[in-house]
Amino acid sequence: QMWQLLSVLYELFQQDCFEYFTDMMPLLHNYVTVDTDTLLSSPKHLEIMYNMCKKVLTVNTDEDAECHAAKLLEVIVLQCKGRGIDQCIPLFVEAALERLTRGVKTSELRTMCLQVVIAALYYSPVLLLHTLENIRFPHSTEPITAQFINQWMNDTDCFLGVHDRKMCIIGLSILIDFQNRPPAVETVAAQIVPSILLLFLGLKQVYAMRTASEQDEGMRAEVIAEEENEEIPSDEDEVRGGGTVTKEQTCNESQENASSDEEDAEWDEDGLEETALEGFS
């Protein structure tokens, strides 16, 4: 029944509802990752997914929706590695690279489009190279291989979060392993290892911050538990001890604690450098 809903969703999408693509993304992501066998059981399912992503990347929508579309293409490629979707790879790669040939305002969209191609490289290096050599865009008669490689190398420092950095490292490692490197790869060969080291350094920092954040949360939970387990003094005890807590004091303490927690949470979130699409990885 859920797969019957996909066709209904697609019909709504075609009725100029593509601006709601980001709202549809969690459901589409579940179709791909939760029930991959059914996804691949009918070519119509992949066709619907591709057509939706292609339209979002082609029509003038906001870049957030385009990032989600590129992310869905990447997820499909990674989820279906070794599952026989070779015929889809050229379509996915061309859709992502075509979007890069037009103006891109944010580094997030640029890296997401690059990640679609990197995922295709992970899926099948030979298939991707063949695809790149055969793609031609109207503004150029040359293969897009060199343009893609150069853009990728220029943007390695824009890959944030854990998943994006890992994908970039995997892709660069595959380039190193090429026995017969294409001229475009050979040209940037000296930049590959330094780029990988930079990405590993970023991952190390993210993991260190995550560990520190988890430890802080654990300590905070222990303190709260201890405070809750402490015996609450009666009014008689408070009077006897001469300590009266006013409502104003209690409110001030609560506000200070809440403010401190919010600052910690904000610092943790900024320090982790996770992308908005990390949850769909």
Side-chain angles (χ1 to χ4, degrees):
Q1 292 180 350
M2 287 300 297
W3 284 99
Q4 293 175 359
L5 180 61
L6 180 62
S7 299
V8 177
L9 190 68
Y10 184 47
E11 290 177 7
L12 292 173
F13 176 85
Q14 290 178 302
Q15 297 172 9
D16 293 331
C17 291
F18 52 84
E19 63 266 24
Y20 299 107
F21 183 80
T22 54
D23 298 319
M24 301 176 184
M25 179 67 174
L27 177 59
L28 297 174
H29 179 264
N30 283 340
Y31 277 127
V32 176
T33 58
V34 175
D35 194 2
T36 311
D37 291 338
T38 304
L39 171 72
L40 299 177
S41 66
S42 172
K44 187 68 176 177
H45 297 155
L46 279 176
E47 181 183 347
I48 288 175
M49 298 281 185
Y50 166 73
N51 287 341
M52 294 176 74
C53 294
K54 175 69 174 177
K55 184 167 185 177
V56 172
L57 290 169
T58 303
V59 180
N60 291 325
T61 57
D62 65 283
E63 291 198 356
D64 183 49
E66 292 177 303
C67 286
H68 281 75
K71 184 65 181 181
L72 185 59
L73 292 178
E74 181 210 8
V75 170
I76 293 173
V77 175
L78 295 178
Q79 190 71 21
C80 300
K81 176 177 168 60
R83 303 289 298 271
I85 63 165
D86 294 21
Q87 73 282 1
C88 299
I89 299 301
L91 297 174
F92 291 5
V93 169
E94 185 171 2
L97 291 179
E98 193 279 330
R99 180 60 188 89
L100 283 177
T101 63
R102 293 180 277 119
V104 176
K105 297 178 182 178
T106 63
S107 61
E108 184 179 13
L109 177 57
R110 198 164 59 248
T111 53
M112 272 314 314
C113 289
L114 290 173
Q115 268 179 230
V116 176
V117 188
I118 296 171
L121 177 65
Y122 174 67
Y123 179 93
S124 172
V126 175
L127 177 58
L128 176 67
L129 288 179
H130 181 266
T131 299
L132 293 176
E133 289 299 314
N134 285 278
I135 290 180
R136 298 288 188 279
F137 291 121
H139 65 279
S140 176
T141 58
E142 296 295 322
I144 202 170
T145 309
Q147 298 176 48
F148 161 67
I149 295 294
N150 291 333
Q151 187 68 63
W152 182 7
M153 298 308 302
N154 290 335
D155 286 337
T156 51
D157 60 336
C158 296
F159 287 79
L160 304 178
V162 173
H163 171 80
D164 295 3
R165 285 187 172 105
K166 284 183 176 180
M167 283 301 302
C168 195
I169 291 171
I170 291 172
L172 293 174
S173 300
I174 293 174
L175 293 185
I176 292 178
D177 284 341
F178 275 145
Q179 294 183 351
N180 298 316
R181 293 177 181 171
V185 176
E186 196 64 45
T187 302
V188 301
Q191 304 176 41
I192 295 178
V193 172
S195 296
I196 291 177
L197 293 177
L198 178 65
L199 290 162
F200 269 121
L201 179 60
L203 276 177
K204 181 180 179 181
Q205 292 173 343
V206 171
Y207 282 127
M209 290 180 180
R210 278 188 173 181
T211 301
S213 176
E214 291 172 357
Q215 290 176 346
D216 289 343
E217 289 178 1
M219 293 176 61
R220 193 176 297 119
E222 290 178 2
V223 170
I224 293 174
E226 289 177 359
E227 291 177 350
E228 291 177 348
N229 291 331
E230 288 180 358
E231 184 178 351
I232 301 175
S234 64
D235 293 341
E236 183 179 347
D237 292 336
E238 288 185 356
V239 172
R240 187 181 298 113
T244 302
V245 180
T246 66
K247 181 177 181 181
E248 183 179 356
Q249 289 174 322
T250 304
C251 290
N252 288 338
E253 289 178 1
S254 299
Q255 289 174 356
E256 289 175 2
N257 291 335
S259 176
S260 176
D261 290 342
E262 288 176 0
E263 289 176 0
D264 291 342
E266 183 178 354
W267 183 89
D268 290 342
E269 184 177 354
D270 292 340
L272 292 177
E273 285 189 320
E274 288 190 356
T275 66
L277 296 172
E278 193 90 5
F280 292 113
S281 301

